[in-house]
Amino acid sequence: MSQKIFLEKLTLIGFRKNYEVEFKSGLNFISGPMSTGKSSIVEMINYAFGSEKHNAYIEIRNSCKEVELVFSIGNRKFKIVRPLFDFKRPVKLFRWIDEIGGFNENFEILPIDTPANEASLSAFLLNEIGLADITVANQTFSFRDLFKYCYVRQSTIDSENLLKEKDWGSSIKRRPTFEIIFNIYNDLLGDLKQKLKEKGQYINTLQKKREGVFEFLKEIKIAEVKEILDEQVKLKKLLSEKNKKLAEIKASGRYDDELTLNLEEVIAKHKESISKDDLKIQDITKYIEKLMLLRNQYSSEVQKIEFILEGAVVLNKFDFEICPSCLNPIDEKTGCNLCGSELKDLSASEIRVYKSELTRIKRKFNGLTTFIESQEVSLSNIKRKRRGEIEELHKKQRELDRLRNDYISPFIEQIEQMNFEIGNIYKNMDQLDNELLVISHFSKLNEKILEEEGLYEGLKKQIEDLQFDNITKDEIVHKLSILFNKILKEFNFPKLSEAYIKDSNYLPYVRGVKYDELGSGGAITMTTMAYFLSIALLKTKTKNYPGFLIIDSPRKNLGADAKNNDEFKDEEIFNSIIKYFISITQTETSDKDESKDEVEVINDLQLIVINNGYPDFLNENDLIKEFDGKGTRGLPYGLIDDIENPLQ
């Protein structure tokens, strides 16, 4: 069984403030009216995990610059930080360090690329969960292939192409991914054995490197950490005694300000320089934030023009009440009053104008990105200079402190000797600090070896489980069909009998027909949810499922909002769905169908549900976020809760 992923916290890093959503085990329900940011929460999880891009939300673009996702894989915790409106830039990966009780300040750069690039985000995630270096259909298996089974979008919950199985290019890895999830993929065992061999060779290389570093440490005779710390205590005590003796020597002398005047002038200059650097850092930081906001706007303009060029003809087939470009109401006669979109075929001259404008904006975007990077380099240089100034200031201040007490010329020789001894103590203390730094690097190498050995043992266990697990594809499909049929019964949706998963294509069938032939939007919605839930919930010994499932809008196609006292004829069905969500995230159960076949269901699924409204019986602890779209009733009006005039 692969390692599971547990989502802990999503944060949108804003210009004015940060916007956080914390997740828990079990059911995580997010409720609110339309356009309050519910779906953007889960879309940002998708984006942090490597989706190509996200929707250009106006409020987020105007308020935020980065998305941050904290999550755990097994017993290891990580943090991903990704720029919001620069889709091609890599992510920053931070690792949690137990010794410091926080994330390491040093981060890794992971490109948004295929796992064929071993440094990519996808390769990292697959390596951590134990599914690295797998080839399916002559292509590298990607974390994005696996993520499709964890995210039921609002736009696809009633789709008749739920896993894009009708698109040849998109579906080529769909069936192998299903088989990988349930460990019935024929080539998986061979791929894991090859990965185990490569992992063993890598660990041997690290161990040889560690041996070399250890011999080097022995050669230069660096002591153990405890000895170094004990020596630091002794030196600090000796330094205190020397400073006390120096003060006694100076006590009988007279004050001669000429000895300290130059030092005071140098210290004053350092302080002035540090103050100027502080102002520069503050100004450049604010300047960069403004530039990033401008870059976000350029990105939005690029998306709008690309949308106009690529989608105008398609969009003419539909009637719109709001403009798909800027989301403002459309006048039936004149089109959009804000951006001027008329949703009509473009002439050749108009296309040339749009393409020219697109090229110009992209040039500005690229130029602005380069300029921002140069400003960030400048900011880093100023910070480095400031650190140097502070270090030099402390050095001069120590010299001044030693000279500032009263003395007369007969005592100068004694003072100089004492200062020399104090200087040697400081030198020895610096040497001990350097030794601790070397030992720290050696410790990090040990930690890396331990981490790789843990992954190695996980691979061994996964291979052993595969070799001893004699479950067949037919058994998996049979158990899955039982669970799928049982979930549909729990939903209480009428006329959804004889449900099963077909072994030839792994797709859901109900009443003898494939799900896309049911004809009812509500039936397809129920079937889609039951299908993804059955894959997530079916318990096997060697399952490779990430451990979380996101469902956006389970109420879709079921009628009006009962929470707002509207007529809702399918309230019983919706309540049945939520009750089932609660039951699978709170208790461990074993279920039997009419033929007495037993199906085990996991009870540690992290289920994230997005919906407009919720039933009264939902536990308030399961309601992790609620918006009201108005900012009344003590609730925020949306995810971005500090914008002005949110309803305009």
Side-chain angles (χ1 to χ4, degrees):
M1 179 183 292
S2 64
Q3 296 278 8
K4 289 187 176 181
I5 297 175
F6 181 80
L7 306 178
E8 295 192 13
K9 184 167 73 170
L10 177 80
T11 304
L12 295 181
I13 308 299
F15 298 113
R16 300 180 299 273
K17 59 175 285 189
N18 295 338
Y19 311 90
E20 299 180 349
V21 180
E22 294 188 6
F23 303 99
K24 63 180 187 66
S25 59
L27 180 59
N28 295 259
F29 205 100
I30 301 172
S31 175
M34 292 179 60
S35 300
T36 52
K38 304 186 305 299
S39 295
S40 64
I41 293 173
V42 292
E43 187 171 347
M44 289 304 155
I45 296 174
N46 183 28
Y47 181 66
F49 275 141
S51 70
E52 184 179 350
K53 58 183 179 179
H54 58 76
N55 291 327
Y57 297 106
I58 297 174
E59 290 82 1
I60 293 178
R61 186 182 67 239
N62 292 338
S63 303
C64 306
K65 55 184 177 180
E66 292 175 325
V67 60
E68 176 183 291
L69 180 65
V70 178
F71 61 98
S72 300
I73 300 179
N75 59 359
R76 301 178 298 279
K77 184 186 291 190
F78 306 96
K79 178 173 68 176
I80 285 175
V81 179
R82 186 177 180 187
L84 275 170
F85 293 93
D86 198 347
F87 303 137
K88 294 183 179 180
R89 291 187 68 184
V91 304
K92 297 176 183 176
L93 176 75
F94 298 82
R95 297 176 184 266
W96 181 270
I97 307 298
D98 288 332
E99 288 75 12
I100 65 175
F103 288 102
N104 195 340
E105 292 183 357
N106 299 321
F107 55 83
E108 303 167 40
I109 297 294
L110 304 180
I112 305 299
D113 201 354
T114 67
N117 179 354
E118 295 182 356
S120 68
L121 173 63
S122 182
F124 160 76
L125 292 170
L126 289 175
N127 186 63
E128 289 295 327
I129 64 178
L131 293 175
D133 298 334
I134 298 174
T135 301
V136 296
N138 295 321
Q139 297 183 25
T140 306
F141 179 66
S142 169
F143 181 77
R144 302 302 305 167
D145 300 321
L146 192 61
F147 191 82
K148 291 176 182 177
Y149 286 86
C150 302
Y151 183 19
V152 186
R153 297 172 180 266
Q154 181 182 12
S155 58
T156 60
I157 197 168
D158 59 351
S159 169
E160 296 181 356
N161 191 16
L162 58 90
L163 284 169
K164 297 190 181 300
E165 69 274 4
K166 298 178 183 179
D167 307 330
W168 182 87
S170 301
S171 68
I172 191 169
K173 292 195 286 184
R174 180 187 63 81
R175 293 181 74 253
T177 300
F178 179 94
E179 293 172 351
I180 288 172
I181 289 175
F182 290 106
N183 268 326
I184 53 176
Y185 182 59
N186 294 333
D187 297 331
L188 181 58
L189 184 59
D191 288 339
L192 290 177
K193 286 183 176 180
Q194 178 61 28
K195 179 62 178 177
L196 184 70
K197 180 181 178 181
E198 294 174 357
K199 184 70 70 178
Q201 293 172 345
Y202 180 55
I203 291 173
N204 288 335
T205 301
L206 291 177
Q207 289 174 337
K208 290 179 181 179
K209 184 177 180 180
R210 178 175 62 181
E211 291 173 4
V213 174
F214 181 71
E215 290 300 321
F216 171 74
L217 294 178
K218 287 173 58 179
E219 184 69 23
I220 62 177
K221 298 179 180 180
I222 289 184
E224 297 291 333
V225 173
K226 185 177 184 306
E227 296 177 8
I228 294 175
L229 295 176
D230 290 342
E231 184 64 21
Q232 282 183 327
V233 172
K234 293 178 182 178
L235 287 177
K236 289 179 180 178
K237 182 178 179 181
L238 181 59
L239 180 63
S240 177
E241 293 173 354
K242 293 292 183 182
N243 282 327
K244 182 178 179 181
K245 188 173 181 180
L246 179 62
E248 292 173 353
I249 294 174
K250 296 175 180 179
S252 59
R254 62 181 178 80
Y255 184 74
D256 185 358
D257 58 0
E258 291 183 3
L259 295 173
T260 61
L261 186 60
N262 290 335
L263 276 176
E264 290 174 347
E265 291 178 354
V266 171
I267 288 173
K269 289 181 180 178
H270 281 308
K271 288 182 177 179
E272 182 181 1
S273 179
I274 292 171
S275 179
K276 290 180 179 178
D277 288 342
D278 287 336
L279 292 175
K280 288 181 181 177
I281 290 172
Q282 183 179 357
D283 291 342
I284 293 177
T285 300
K286 291 181 179 179
Y287 186 43
I288 289 175
E289 288 185 350
K290 292 180 181 179
L291 292 175
M292 291 180 71
L293 184 58
L294 179 59
R295 186 177 61 184
N296 291 348
Q297 294 173 350
Y298 283 156
S299 175
S300 176
E301 291 299 321
V302 168
Q303 292 180 52
K304 287 180 181 178
I305 295 177
E306 288 178 341
F307 177 81
I308 292 172
L309 289 172
E310 297 174 7
V313 175
V314 176
L315 290 174
N316 272 330
K317 300 176 182 179
F318 306 92
D319 293 327
F320 287 87
E321 295 182 357
I322 61 172
C323 177
S325 297
C326 64
L327 305 181
N328 271 335
I330 292 180
D331 187 276
E332 295 182 357
K333 296 180 179 180
T334 61
C336 179
N337 293 324
L338 180 59
C339 69
S341 176
E342 299 179 2
L343 301 177
K344 66 180 183 179
D345 291 340
L346 300 176
S347 66
S349 61
E350 287 176 320
I351 291 175
R352 285 196 298 271
V353 170
Y354 276 120
K355 286 185 176 180
S356 174
E357 180 66 11
L358 181 61
T359 301
R360 185 183 70 83
I361 295 177
K362 283 186 175 180
R363 191 182 301 116
K364 283 189 174 183
F365 177 85
N366 294 332
L368 184 58
T369 298
T370 302
F371 182 67
I372 289 175
E373 291 174 350
S374 69
Q375 290 296 307
E376 289 176 339
V377 170
S378 175
L379 180 62
S380 177
N381 291 336
I382 294 174
K383 289 181 177 179
R384 190 182 304 111
K385 174 180 172 293
R386 181 181 180 276
R387 288 194 297 269
E389 292 278 2
I390 291 175
E391 183 178 346
E392 191 65 23
L393 173 64
H394 290 164
K395 179 179 176 182
K396 296 300 181 183
Q397 189 67 56
R398 287 199 301 265
E399 292 182 21
L400 181 62
D401 291 341
R402 291 196 296 270
L403 292 174
R404 187 163 274 169
N405 295 312
D406 293 340
Y407 64 89
I408 54 177
S409 50
F411 299 96
I412 291 179
E413 186 175 345
Q414 296 179 50
I415 292 172
E416 288 179 348
Q417 177 63 29
M418 193 61 63
N419 284 334
F420 176 76
E421 294 175 5
I422 290 174
N424 279 336
I425 294 175
Y426 278 118
K427 181 179 179 181
N428 292 334
M429 292 177 70
D430 289 340
Q431 179 64 30
L432 291 177
D433 288 339
N434 291 333
E435 291 181 7
L436 282 175
L437 184 61
V438 173
I439 293 175
S440 174
H441 288 313
F442 182 70
S443 297
K444 289 179 180 178
L445 183 57
N446 277 330
E447 290 172 3
K448 180 63 176 176
I449 292 174
L450 290 174
E451 179 184 342
E452 292 297 325
E453 287 177 341
L455 294 173
Y456 182 85
E457 291 302 320
L459 280 173
K460 280 182 62 178
K461 179 66 167 57
Q462 193 173 356
I463 290 172
E464 291 172 1
D465 290 341
L466 273 174
Q467 290 174 329
F468 288 102
D469 186 13
N470 57 2
I471 193 167
T472 65
K473 181 181 80 170
D474 291 339
E475 290 174 316
I476 286 291
V477 174
H478 177 65
K479 289 179 179 292
L480 201 61
S481 295
I482 294 171
L483 181 56
F484 174 58
N485 186 64
K486 188 262 181 188
I487 294 172
L488 282 177
K489 288 181 179 179
E490 293 284 345
F491 285 173
N492 286 328
F493 196 91
K495 301 179 182 179
L496 292 184
S497 57
E498 303 175 30
Y500 64 93
I501 307 298
K502 194 169 185 178
D503 56 3
S504 62
N505 57 13
Y506 307 135
L507 290 173
Y509 284 70
V510 179
R511 301 179 70 187
V513 299
K514 194 154 77 73
Y515 75 97
D516 58 354
E517 299 176 11
L518 290 172
S520 164
I524 295 177
T525 297
M526 299 300 102
T527 302
T528 299
M529 285 194 292
Y531 177 67
F532 279 93
L533 279 166
S534 62
I535 293 173
L537 291 172
L538 183 64
K539 188 174 183 178
T540 66
K541 293 180 180 179
T542 57
K543 190 175 179 182
N544 297 310
Y545 190 80
F548 66 90
L549 176 63
I550 300 169
I551 299 179
D552 193 349
S553 301
R555 192 195 287 270
K556 195 170 184 182
N557 296 312
L558 287 182
D561 185 356
K563 195 73 179 173
N564 295 326
N565 298 320
D566 294 332
E567 183 181 358
F568 185 64
K569 61 181 179 181
D570 300 315
E571 182 72 13
E572 181 181 349
I573 299 173
F574 178 68
N575 287 344
S576 298
I577 295 170
I578 303 304
K579 286 177 181 177
Y580 185 71
F581 290 165
I582 294 171
S583 69
I584 61 175
T585 53
Q586 287 188 347
T587 58
E588 185 174 8
T589 60
S590 292
D591 302 303
K592 294 183 179 181
D593 73 344
E594 296 174 354
S595 61
K596 307 301 181 183
D597 290 303
E598 185 174 316
V599 178
E600 287 188 276
V601 177
I602 64 171
N603 71 323
D604 58 351
L605 177 70
Q606 189 179 25
L607 181 61
I608 300 173
V609 178
I610 312 295
N611 199 75
N612 184 351
Y614 58 91
D616 294 334
F617 57 78
L618 182 71
N619 191 315
E620 63 178 11
N621 292 329
D622 293 332
L623 186 64
I624 63 168
K625 279 289 181 182
E626 183 179 8
F627 311 123
D628 68 359
K630 299 178 182 178
T632 59
R633 299 191 295 119
L635 296 173
Y637 43 76
L639 177 63
I640 308 301
D641 58 3
D642 63 336
I643 56 175
E644 296 181 0
N645 300 322
L647 298 179
Q648 294 184 3

